[in-house]
Amino acid sequence: MTNSRSARPQRNVQTHTLANGLTIITEEIPYVESIAINVGVRCGSRHEPPGLEGMAHLIEHMLFKGTESVPDPSKISEIIEMSGGSLNAATDYETTIYWCRSLAEKTQESIQLLLQLITEPLLKPVDLELERQVIIEEINSVGDYPNSRAEVMLDELMWPGTSLGRDIAGTIESVSQLTHESLVEFMQNKYSSNNLVVSVAGKLNHNEIIEFVQPLTESLNGSVSNAFDDVNYVANKPRFISEERALEQSHISIGFPGASRHSKSRYALDLLIAILGEGMSSRLFQEIREKRGLAYDIGAGVSHHTDTGAINIYAAVDKNKYETAIHLISKELQEIKTNTNIEELDKVKSLFTGRLKLNREDTRSVANWNCNQTLNEDPFQSTKDYVKKLTDVSLDEIMNVSSEYLLEENMNIAVVGPAESHHDPRRFK
């Protein structure tokens, strides 16, 4: 008996580098009606020299204040939103991503808009003064959320005096001193064509995308690749910092230095931390919330940079029980070093694989993955490659990374809320 349903068309990933160094990567998904576009720049807060802290984030804001073709900022978002799409951007430590998702019939219009943000921004001095105040309010808002404040304090504790040890948005002082001249110069230097990636996913034709993007980006010039100084974690002893606030909860952020994105250990570390704190079936959730009732939410995650990485554990607990919570978290960290089983490992492998499969159904997730891989990885790593490396991780590797990365002397603790100002973290053992 023959199956009457026709086979789903194959997806196809293709890349092309223009003469000026700009990279185009597309993934054709012929059975969807949407298009997702990322314009990624190898420029983030880590590329800022002293005195320009917050500049990368400020530029991200300024590019939405009007272009030569669309001088009215309200029209920029309207072009995408009027057909049900969405448009936004985000600055990270090493990259800035401008993205939109729209109907496939709006592909050229959407690509043109995103590229105009970069090739013909107005960057008016009057807009700089307005947006400066917006960003200062954004920085102020971090202090209003104790969990966000705890994360910032943890970064300062772990990476003092470095680009990883400060808010991506900069400080109120640094943002207040950024000049229009330095803004224009920074963008001209950092937004060069060889530091740009255009990633498109959805119903598309690869050659048509190239033919459309090329003339829109001819005005961009190539330059040296953007670079920044490596950061090395200095281990000496466990560290604790707190900020006293009259709250009903103490917000805890615990950190360890982690693996870089180029480290072979990153895959085992991803799985280890998932066992520890990913989802409601994780060890920390079961122990701290389900068994002890100490927290509404608790979890753990990892981040990978070019040269280093970080492990973060977060929780909010009753103000009188934060010491108990930290003690129990520390106990789980020690327990996982010697007592992890293959069933747990298989479970988190299935979790990662399933999540990636679900993300493959969303054009924005696909465009974002391809963009980030092209910006950060060498060679490009597909989701299939990533899953293969995860599934190859053995239980022995899990035990090895737990002993390597969850060291007591590398434990950093930040608490916002009712807490003593000084602790020796070793007392939480």
Side-chain angles (χ1 to χ4, degrees), residues 300-355:
V302 292
S303 56
H304 304 292
H305 309 302
T306 296
D307 50 342
T308 187
I311 300 163
N312 180 244
I313 301 164
Y314 56 90
V317 303
D318 183 281
K319 62 185 179 182
N320 297 313
K321 298 178 180 178
Y322 79 93
E323 290 182 322
T324 301
I326 294 173
H327 167 75
L328 291 170
I329 291 169
S330 182
K331 185 178 177 182
E332 286 299 316
L333 294 175
Q334 299 309 310
E335 177 74 13
I336 204 168
K337 292 181 183 180
T338 57
N339 183 21
T340 305
N341 58 61
I342 193 67
E343 289 78 14
E344 287 180 299
L345 178 55
D346 288 342
K347 182 185 73 174
V348 294
K349 285 181 179 179
S350 178
L351 182 153
F352 273 77
T353 302
R355 181 177 295 161

Side-chain angles (χ1 to χ4, degrees), residues 303-428:
S303 56
H304 304 292
H305 309 302
T306 296
D307 50 342
T308 187
I311 300 163
N312 180 244
I313 301 164
Y314 56 90
V317 303
D318 183 281
K319 62 185 179 182
N320 297 313
K321 298 178 180 178
Y322 79 93
E323 290 182 322
T324 301
I326 294 173
H327 167 75
L328 291 170
I329 291 169
S330 182
K331 185 178 177 182
E332 286 299 316
L333 294 175
Q334 299 309 310
E335 177 74 13
I336 204 168
K337 292 181 183 180
T338 57
N339 183 21
T340 305
N341 58 61
I342 193 67
E343 289 78 14
E344 287 180 299
L345 178 55
D346 288 342
K347 182 185 73 174
V348 294
K349 285 181 179 179
S350 178
L351 182 153
F352 273 77
T353 302
R355 181 177 295 161
L356 284 167
K357 286 181 178 178
L358 291 173
N359 287 343
R360 296 282 293 162
E361 297 291 317
D362 176 49
T363 51
R364 186 188 161 199
S365 294
V366 173
N368 194 53
W369 175 278
N370 291 343
C371 184
N372 280 305
Q373 291 296 313
T374 308
L375 285 170
N376 297 318
E377 303 287 350
D378 186 19
F380 176 88
Q381 181 173 228
S382 68
T383 53
K384 185 177 180 181
D385 297 331
Y386 180 68
V387 167
K388 174 68 166 59
K389 289 172 182 175
L390 283 176
T391 54
D392 285 347
V393 171
S394 68
L395 189 59
D396 284 342
E397 288 177 284
I398 293 292
M399 306 309 291
N400 289 338
V401 294
S402 66
S403 298
E404 179 181 357
Y405 288 98
L406 300 179
L407 295 173
E408 179 186 307
E409 59 264 33
N410 287 345
M411 187 176 187
N412 299 270
I413 306 172
V415 178
V416 174
E420 293 182 31
S421 58
H422 297 287
H423 274 301
D424 181 346
R426 286 170 291 195
R427 69 177 284 183
F428 297 118

Side-chain angles (χ1 to χ4, degrees), residues 14 44 60 72 79 99 103 130 135 146 172 181 226-227 251 255 296 326 340 361 365 367 386 394 421:
Q14 298 182 75
E60 176 222 311
D72 183 349
I79 290 171
W99 64 268
L103 296 174
L130 181 65
I135 291 173
I172 293 175
E181 181 183 8
N226 292 338
H251 295 258
Y296 173 71
I326 294 173
T340 305
E361 297 291 317
S365 294
Y386 180 68
S394 68
S421 58

Side-chain angles (χ1 to χ4, degrees), residues 110-394:
S110 301
I111 292 174
Q112 178 173 273
L113 176 66
L114 284 183
L115 291 176
Q116 284 171 344
L117 297 181
I118 289 170
T119 59
E120 50 176 72
L122 295 180
L123 302 180
K124 295 187 292 187
V126 65
D127 290 332
L128 169 59
E129 295 311 314
L130 181 65
E131 211 59 30
R132 189 197 310 276
Q133 296 306 312
V134 171
I135 291 173
I136 287 173
E137 290 307 310
E138 183 179 351
I139 294 170
N140 284 332
S141 71
V142 171
D144 290 339
Y145 295 92
N147 58 325
S148 298
R149 177 60 186 149
E151 291 174 6
V152 170
M153 289 168 56
L154 180 67
D155 289 339
E156 293 170 350
L157 189 65
M158 288 181 63
W159 315 104
T162 73
S163 56
L164 292 177
R166 59 176 171 80
D167 195 317
I168 288 170
T171 65
I172 293 175
E173 293 72 25
S174 68
V175 172
S176 298
Q177 295 171 11
L178 297 175
T179 67
H180 182 263
E181 181 183 8
S182 62
L183 182 148
V184 173
E185 182 181 3
F186 186 88
M187 184 172 177
Q188 287 175 343
N189 290 337
K190 303 300 183 184
Y191 277 56
S192 55
S193 53
N194 55 303
N195 289 306
L196 292 176
V197 170
V198 176
S199 173
V200 190
K203 198 174 203 176
L204 57 84
N205 178 282
H206 177 73
N207 292 329
E208 289 178 0
I209 298 294
I210 294 172
E211 291 172 4
F212 187 72
V213 168
Q214 186 166 0
L216 294 174
T217 56
E218 284 179 345
S219 62
L220 295 171
N221 296 317
S223 181
V224 296
S225 297
N226 292 338
F228 49 81
D229 294 333
D230 286 355
V231 170
N232 295 311
Y233 181 82
V234 179
N236 46 24
K237 62 178 182 179
R239 288 172 283 197
F240 178 92
I241 188 173
S242 69
E243 184 173 282
E244 182 73 22
R245 292 199 185 183
L247 302 171
E248 289 304 310
Q249 288 185 310
S250 291
H251 295 258
I252 304 164
S253 196
I254 299 173
F256 296 83
S260 77
R261 68 171 60 94
H262 303 300
S263 169
K264 292 181 180 179
S265 300
R266 64 174 284 193
Y267 306 98
L269 187 61
D270 286 351
L271 294 170
L272 171 72
I273 301 307
I275 293 171
L276 186 66
E278 180 71 36
M280 292 190 292
S281 60
S282 68
R283 288 192 176 196
L284 286 176
F285 195 94
Q286 287 297 310
E287 178 66 22
I288 304 301
R289 172 173 161 155
E290 296 299 288
K291 183 178 177 181
R292 307 280 182 168
L294 290 175
Y296 173 71
D297 191 24
I298 182 169
V302 292
S303 56
H304 304 292
H305 309 302
T306 296
D307 50 342
T308 187
I311 300 163
N312 180 244
I313 301 164
Y314 56 90
V317 303
D318 183 281
K319 62 185 179 182
N320 297 313
K321 298 178 180 178
Y322 79 93
E323 290 182 322
T324 301
I326 294 173
H327 167 75
L328 291 170
I329 291 169
S330 182
K331 185 178 177 182
E332 286 299 316
L333 294 175
Q334 299 309 310
E335 177 74 13
I336 204 168
K337 292 181 183 180
T338 57
N339 183 21
T340 305
N341 58 61
I342 193 67
E343 289 78 14
E344 287 180 299
L345 178 55
D346 288 342
K347 182 185 73 174
V348 294
K349 285 181 179 179
S350 178
L351 182 153
F352 273 77
T353 302
R355 181 177 295 161
L356 284 167
K357 286 181 178 178
L358 291 173
N359 287 343
R360 296 282 293 162
E361 297 291 317
D362 176 49
T363 51
R364 186 188 161 199
S365 294
V366 173
N368 194 53
W369 175 278
N370 291 343
C371 184
N372 280 305
Q373 291 296 313
T374 308
L375 285 170
N376 297 318
E377 303 287 350
D378 186 19
F380 176 88
Q381 181 173 228
S382 68
T383 53
K384 185 177 180 181
D385 297 331
Y386 180 68
V387 167
K388 174 68 166 59
K389 289 172 182 175
L390 283 176
T391 54
D392 285 347
V393 171
S394 68

